[in-house]
Amino acid sequence: MDYNFREIEKKWQDKWEEKGVFHAVDGSDKKKFYALVEFPYPSGAGMHVGHIKAYSGLEVVSRKRRLEGYNVLFPIGFDAYGLPTENYAIKTGIHPRQVTDMNIKKFTSQLKRVGFSFDWTRVIDTTEEGYYKWTQWIFLKMFEHGLAFRDKTLVNYCPSCKVVLSNEDSQGGKCDICHSDVVQRSKDVWYLRITEYADKLLEGLEEVDYLPNVKLQQINWIGKSRGAFVNFNLNEIPEQLRIYTTRPDTLFGVTFMVIAPEHPLIDKYKDAIGNMDEIEAYRAECAKKTEFERTQLVKDKTGVCIKGITAKNPVNDEDIPIYISDYVMMGYGTGAIMAVPAHDQRDYEFAKKFGIDIIEVIKGGDISVEAYTGDGEMVNSGFLNGLDNKKDSIAKMIDFLQQKGLGEGGVQYKMKDWAFNRQRYWGEPIPIVHCPNCGLVAVPYEELPLKLPPVENFAPGQDGESPLAKIDSFVNCKCPKCGADAKRETDTMPQWAGSSWYFLRYIDPHNDKELASQDKLRYWGPVDWYNGGMEHVTRHMIYSRFWHRFLYDIGAVPFKEPYLKRTAQGLILGPDGVKMSKSRGNVIDPNVVVDEYGADVLRTYVLFMGDYEQAAPWSESSVKGCKRFIDRIWKLQEILTDGDEYSEALSSAMHKTIKKVSNDIEQMKFNTAVAAVMTLLNQIYEVGSINRAELKSLLLIVNPFAPHVTEEMWQTLGYGEMLAADGKWPEYDEAKCIDATVEIVVQINGKIKTKINIPAEISNDEAIALAKADERIAAELDGKNIIKEIYVKGKLVNIVAK
């Protein structure tokens, strides 16, 4: 009888749900395991095969853990706020709430069809009032502790989405949502002071098991550097320019300074500046450029020399010019830099263009051709001359600066504070009131959640204001402190807000008294294993680690780091080897695969197609190969015999395969785990039979990959009512994983002549004797003098003869 996946898969999905076999039990005596996958954004397009691969890795691990006796929490939810839903609502006139509900329903149906073992009693939706009440609560706690603040700044603004974007959401000068060009605009913006947590975020990486690449990306994103703050006195006005540099040892080579076009000193001393018209014209040009465009290394160097204000080099008292240039930003460091053209290529090109002196202070290059950026002996550097160790030179210069009161050693971070607001409707309202008397006032905790009001027009205003600003009944309110007429904040939170703590809510999703109960947090936390895309290892993971560490610091959670382990899956490429996209027409719909081949085939294929952490192209022929694999497992029933123990013919193969699959799952080598079972199947069919003990173990190790077919066979063959409930992961005997005999090659003068089977545990002399006794080898050696004999255990015998 053929395997009827259409009937069998639905049957078992219903049974699992009916029995609640995947429901996590709070406070169980069993050892806990918390597996977390990145919850999806429920788009109208539904799931794609990339989602299936992303969830299948920890799906396999979670099913294995349950069979090993663990109490497993493997939850799912929906990160449902965001611009795509709102843009769709604007286009169609359907309310974002309705759109979100439809999309979640579609995603849920698709996930269940694939047979994922999620605990569906713990589903969260970031747009539900009961959820975002606690998102707002966390924001207010940050506001209370000085970590949420407003500041006027140049922001990245998307004219198409009419929204302010963080640097992270506008990389490459393009909007992350619609890919339009981003422009600069001055605006009051909410920030979260994530820079306060830079060191804690770095320290936390020492306590976790993340992929090396994941750790490195986070370290680079935070961008901690050690150097010095140096004060440059200005000659014509009673001011200083304070700069930060990682190379204070090169101070004798500073021949000019550059400040941001927006630097406040320019406006403060405009009467002392002789070319303000030229500066204003340059400023106007800069305002048209995005931060990305301004800071590109490979671009024409532009700038204006400020006439009437110069600086003094603090180590040699030389007067140096000050320029404004677009590549210096007020938001980075101090808004001013020192320039050492002999040893920085950008400074070098700038100096060449504007005819500024170039002074070599490190030997080793040819500064008539280009800047020398390597190490070497210090020259033209006063008290540093002759030093050739960069570390010593830096330390000596910092000592000098500190003794003379010219500066001091310091630390800077590349990471900036997090721009935390959007001028859109579909997001969490920021629970702050603007009072003319009291300033910024928090909405009282007992009034949370501050609900999104119903609206008919979701489109933002032309000036980038939130649609909420048009709703008088929402905006106009009383100050919670003094009772005066006040106005509510009308910006909403960015999509990152809800995903910065969702892993905590899964632990206690229906609690309306607290974010999550301390007892449940202590039992389930931290997340044991988190898997997701490499694209989220910086923004999302750093943001969520920041929120979590803050919650730990205020006593709201009992563990420092949210995730003990982080891994990542590679992309599934289209059949053409290119990233899937609708425009290319190479998107694979998982529904189509399930309709044609069944969920078990789809699940097995996405893990068999290649290294889990690498990108791999979709292959229809390989999908069919996985269909044959499932069918061959099903047909094992036709060659089943009795037997309570492994047969002599298959014993070694069974133990080896159980060991291989067990280890490979833990190392996310799912493709080689499946390949090992395929090899075992070949051996079974060669033997011509499989007994009940062997088939039972095989069903157990295949179950995490293909749960439907294995459940049906488990029940049909009388092993139990339900494998997921009754099964126990099989053990292997290490001694039986070692072959009694091994095949080795025999070489003469390094050339392979034959292969022979010999006992695995054999002495060198015995192995060489068996090799020489082989007829082919004996004939080759006849009449020759043997000069040397070598045995490499378990691999080869090589005989050198003349």
Side-chain angles (χ1 to χ4, degrees):
M1 184 177 70
D2 289 339
Y3 174 54
N4 185 343
F5 67 83
R6 289 182 179 86
E7 284 183 13
I8 289 169
E9 291 184 345
K10 181 71 170 69
K11 166 189 166 181
W12 284 103
Q13 288 161 13
D14 291 345
K15 277 181 175 287
W16 293 329
E17 193 152 344
E18 183 186 319
K19 187 155 184 179
V21 71
F22 304 130
H23 294 176
V25 180
D26 294 325
S28 163
D29 291 335
K30 291 182 178 180
K31 192 174 178 182
K32 71 94 180 177
F33 180 72
Y34 184 177
L36 180 69
V37 291
E38 290 174 347
F39 62 166
Y41 177 79
S43 67
M47 281 187 5
H48 52 75
V49 287
H51 287 104
I52 308 300
K53 182 178 179 182
Y55 307 150
S56 291
L58 285 186
E59 158 75 358
V60 166
V61 174
S62 294
R63 282 185 178 267
K64 176 174 179 274
R65 284 287 186 281
R66 292 191 192 96
L67 294 172
E68 290 171 326
Y70 283 77
N71 180 27
V72 174
L73 172 55
F74 186 40
I76 193 67
F78 299 96
D79 188 13
Y81 273 129
L83 290 175
T85 296
E86 187 170 344
N87 288 341
Y88 180 82
I90 292 167
K91 188 177 173 183
T92 61
I94 305 171
H95 195 280
R97 172 75 272 157
Q98 195 179 339
V99 174
T100 298
D101 291 343
M102 289 189 305
N103 292 349
I104 287 177
K105 188 176 178 182
K106 183 175 183 178
F107 262 69
T108 300
S109 167
Q110 289 179 306
L111 288 166
K112 288 185 175 180
R113 277 199 78 195
V114 181
F116 285 116
S117 63
F118 294 126
D119 182 346
W120 290 100
T121 66
R122 294 174 183 257
V123 173
I124 57 175
D125 165 5
T126 56
T127 66
E128 284 184 347
E129 291 165 0
Y131 182 89
Y132 74 70
K133 167 185 177 177
W134 298 104
T135 308
Q136 291 175 333
W137 181 91
I138 296 169
F139 177 87
L140 287 184
K141 287 293 178 188
M142 288 192 163
F143 180 70
E144 205 177 287
H145 286 79
L147 293 175
F149 65 99
R150 277 172 75 85
D151 195 12
K152 187 176 282 292
T153 185
L154 282 176
V155 296
N156 305 308
Y157 180 75
C158 174
S160 176
C161 291
K162 299 182 174 66
V163 67
V164 173
L165 299 167
S166 68
N167 286 340
E168 293 83 357
D169 292 333
S170 55
Q171 295 181 75
K174 300 284 185 182
C175 172
D176 224 20
I177 309 299
C178 70
H179 309 297
S180 299
D181 288 337
V182 172
V183 298
Q184 297 280 288
R185 177 177 285 193
S186 179
K187 188 170 176 60
D188 277 329
V189 170
W190 278 101
Y191 283 100
L192 295 187
R193 212 181 298 273
I194 191 172
T195 51
E196 288 280 316
Y197 273 72
D199 281 328
K200 288 181 178 180
L201 292 172
L202 287 171
E203 289 160 12
L205 292 175
E206 296 171 13
E207 302 172 16
V208 293
D209 176 19
Y210 293 175
L211 290 173
N213 190 24
V214 172
K215 277 192 180 182
L216 184 62
Q217 285 201 38
Q218 293 201 18
I219 289 166
N220 289 342
W221 189 273
I222 295 166
K224 182 176 183 176
S225 65
R226 295 187 184 278
F229 289 97
V230 186
N231 302 318
F232 284 73
N233 288 320
L234 303 186
N235 292 315
E236 295 81 4
I237 55 176
E239 298 279 358
Q240 288 182 334
L241 282 176
R242 184 170 171 81
I243 64 92
Y244 174 79
T245 176
T246 58
R247 295 300 304 268
D249 54 321
T250 63
L251 267 163
F252 282 96
V254 174
T255 57
F256 66 102
M257 298 188 77
V258 184
I259 63 174
E262 304 82 15
H263 201 290
L265 276 183
I266 296 171
D267 293 316
K268 185 176 179 181
Y269 293 101
K270 60 185 178 184
D271 292 341
I273 297 172
N275 57 336
M276 271 305 291
D277 289 347
E278 187 183 6
I279 285 171
E280 290 293 3
Y282 185 76
R283 280 174 147 184
E285 287 301 311
C286 292
K288 298 174 188 174
K289 297 179 184 178
T290 66
E291 184 171 324
F292 176 79
E293 290 170 324
R294 285 178 60 171
T295 55
Q296 285 304 285
L297 287 171
V298 185
K299 68 181 184 73
D300 288 337
K301 303 299 177 284
T302 63
V304 175
C305 183
I306 301 174
K307 293 177 181 173
I309 301 178
T310 58
K312 193 169 286 293
N313 185 320
V315 296
N316 61 14
D317 284 337
E318 293 288 334
D319 291 341
I320 53 175
I322 303 171
Y323 286 76
I324 61 167
S325 183
D326 58 2
Y327 71 84
V328 178
M329 309 288 297
M330 275 309 298
Y332 283 95
T334 62
I337 66 161
M338 68 179 209
V340 186
H343 305 290
D344 179 285
Q345 192 58 31
R346 179 159 58 183
D347 294 347
Y348 183 88
E349 290 167 11
F350 194 97
K352 283 288 187 184
K353 177 167 182 175
F354 290 97
I356 305 168
D357 291 343
I358 299 174
I359 299 172
E360 180 182 53
V361 292
I362 302 172
K363 262 188 188 177
D366 182 357
I367 62 167
S368 66
V369 177
E370 62 182 354
Y372 174 62
T373 57
D375 295 338
E377 182 187 339
M378 302 301 296
V379 294
N380 301 319
S381 295
F383 59 88
L384 297 182
N385 282 341
L387 293 178
D388 58 8
N389 181 297
K390 180 170 75 175
K391 192 175 176 183
D392 292 342
S393 301
I394 290 172
K396 194 166 184 179
M397 178 58 81
I398 291 174
D399 284 345
F400 173 82
L401 294 171
Q402 289 177 172
Q403 287 169 16
K404 299 291 185 183
L406 300 169
E408 67 281 336
V411 169
Q412 280 276 67
Y413 301 92
K414 190 172 77 174
M415 180 173 68
K416 296 169 69 177
D417 286 327
W418 175 9
F420 194 77
N421 54 332
R422 299 287 182 270
Q423 294 68 45
R424 299 298 293 253
Y425 170 71
W426 195 233
E428 300 92 340
I430 293 176
I432 294 291
V433 170
H434 296 263
C435 173
N437 305 321
C438 308
L440 299 174
V441 180
V443 169
Y445 288 106
E446 60 271 18
E447 292 181 18
L448 299 181
L450 174 60
K451 297 177 183 179
L452 264 182
V455 298
E456 292 181 5
N457 178 14
F458 322 112
Q462 290 305 307
D463 57 355
E465 268 200 332
S466 162
L468 297 178
K470 304 170 193 169
I471 305 170
D472 290 342
S473 59
F474 176 80
V475 175
N476 297 321
C477 64
K478 296 292 182 183
C479 172
K481 261 189 185 175
C482 71
D485 288 343
K487 293 189 180 294
R488 292 195 190 281
E489 173 63 62
T490 58
D491 283 358
T492 52
M493 299 186 199
Q495 186 180 347
W496 301 105
S499 63
S500 290
W501 72 281
Y502 75 111
F503 50 92
L504 295 171
R505 192 61 175 172
Y506 282 139
I507 289 172
D508 197 5
H510 311 298
N511 192 333
D512 64 350
K513 299 288 188 290
E514 53 189 334
L515 181 142
S517 108
Q518 288 293 313
D519 286 344
K520 291 179 183 179
L521 286 167
R522 272 189 290 271
Y523 177 77
W524 284 114
V527 173
D528 291 286
W529 194 336
Y530 190 14
N531 186 76
M534 281 302 292
E535 69 275 17
H536 292 137
V537 302
T538 48
R539 283 183 284 184
H540 157 64
M541 280 195 71
I542 287 177
Y543 292 163
S544 60
R545 289 183 59 227
F546 161 50
W547 276 42
H548 184 87
R549 185 57 190 265
F550 165 71
L551 290 171
Y552 172 79
D553 286 350
I554 65 168
V557 297
F559 45 97
K560 274 187 188 179
E561 282 292 326
Y563 324 116
L564 290 181
K565 181 174 183 173
R566 169 70 187 208
T567 51
Q569 77 281 345
L571 295 173
I572 295 182
L573 306 175
D576 53 1
V578 180
K579 187 176 178 180
M580 289 187 186
S581 71
K582 283 183 185 176
S583 60
R584 288 197 181 93
N586 63 352
V587 175
I588 303 294
D589 183 346
N591 283 337
V592 173
V593 182
V594 173
D595 288 343
E596 187 169 353
Y597 299 109
D600 281 347
V601 172
L602 174 61
R603 291 167 60 108
T604 303
Y605 173 63
V606 297
L607 295 176
F608 178 63
M609 66 193 302
D611 184 334
Y612 188 69
E613 293 174 10
Q614 302 300 318
W618 186 268
S619 165
E620 193 67 23
S621 63
S622 294
V623 176
K624 291 174 181 174
C626 287
K627 175 71 167 70
R628 289 192 294 273
F629 170 65
I630 299 297
D631 289 341
R632 291 186 87 201
I633 290 171
W634 179 255
K635 289 181 185 296
L636 288 174
Q637 297 170 93
E638 298 172 7
I639 56 171
L640 183 61
T641 63
D642 285 336
D644 296 332
E645 295 180 357
Y646 299 159
S647 64
E648 190 177 334
L650 289 173
S651 178
S652 177
M654 291 299 302
H655 284 282
K656 281 197 230 171
T657 306
I658 293 167
K659 177 183 178 181
K660 174 76 173 159
V661 173
S662 299
N663 293 341
D664 282 358
I665 287 174
E666 298 306 319
Q667 295 170 39
M668 297 197 112
K669 295 179 178 177
F670 304 114
N671 57 329
T672 55
V674 173
V677 178
M678 290 177 172
T679 300
L680 177 62
L681 276 180
N682 290 338
Q683 291 171 290
I684 291 166
Y685 279 104
E686 279 176 25
V687 170
S689 65
I690 182 171
N691 70 29
R692 287 185 61 82
E694 291 156 353
L695 183 53
K696 182 179 182 181
S697 291
L698 187 142
L699 293 178
L700 287 163
I701 62 173
V702 172
N703 175 262
F705 299 90
H708 306 89
V709 66
T710 50
E711 282 282 14
E712 183 69 11
M713 291 174 71
W714 183 268
Q715 186 190 61
T716 301
L717 298 171
Y719 290 118
E721 278 304 305
M722 185 181 289
L723 188 157
D726 313 324
K728 183 181 177 187
W729 190 258
E731 296 178 353
Y732 61 88
D733 184 340
E734 188 67 56
K736 292 178 181 176
C737 294
I738 300 166
D739 289 323
T741 62
V742 291
E743 184 181 66
I744 66 166
V745 299
V746 183
Q747 300 173 332
I748 295 177
N749 298 328
K751 292 182 180 176
I752 296 173
K753 298 298 180 181
T754 189
K755 293 179 182 178
I756 61 171
N757 281 302
I758 64 171
E761 297 303 320
I762 192 173
S763 71
N764 286 17
D765 291 344
E766 289 170 324
I768 291 165
L770 285 173
K772 287 159 73 175
D774 182 86
E775 287 181 9
R776 286 156 294 188
I777 299 302
E780 285 269 357
L781 293 175
D782 189 31
K784 292 180 181 173
N785 290 322
I786 295 175
I787 296 163
K788 195 173 185 181
E789 298 169 332
I790 303 162
Y791 173 51
V792 178
K793 187 173 180 179
K795 301 241 174 122
L796 63 87
V797 168
N798 183 33
I799 300 167
V800 181
K802 284 187 181 177

